[in-house]
Amino acid sequence: MNRQLKADGRFWLTLDGRNFLGRGRVELLQRVRETGSISKAAKAMKMSYKAAWDTIDAMNAAWQSPLVESGPAGSRLTDDAERLITAFRNAEARHTAFIATLGASLGRPDDW
């Protein structure tokens, strides 16, 4: 039998010990950037407007300054949000590489 152990794990940035920014939240922010609208971003992700708004509101409150600003003309990401997306993507790429290296070092159980 050719079995392979694999390392696996999801990546999150935490803030004060609480999950703050993960892949889904980054996608939501990016869709707000693309559409200029929380409502359109929510629809694109097949989530309710309330769920999207609550997520953005929670991120804004946790960060203590807005990551998304909304007004009559729509919604836009702040510079902090743009920097966080970049930091997340860079850290996630390093995490993915680490997990791959760790998995490769495990080998096959049959070799143990």
Side-chain angles (χ1 to χ4, degrees), residues 12 29 33 40 47 51 64 67-69 103 105 108:
W12 274 86
L29 291 173
R33 179 202 302 133
K40 289 177 184 174
M47 66 189 300
Q64 297 182 338
L67 298 177
V68 176
E69 294 177 331
S105 73
R108 297 179 330 147

Side-chain angles (χ1 to χ4, degrees), residues 12-24:
W12 274 86
L13 293 178
T14 62
L15 184 63
D16 297 330
R18 303 177 97 181
N19 284 352
F20 173 66
L21 198 61
R23 189 176 289 164

Side-chain angles (χ1 to χ4, degrees), residues 26-40:
V26 167
E27 182 181 351
L28 178 60
L29 291 173
Q30 290 174 316
R31 291 195 186 249
V32 168
R33 179 202 302 133
E34 292 165 7
T35 64
S37 162
I38 295 171
S39 177
K40 289 177 184 174

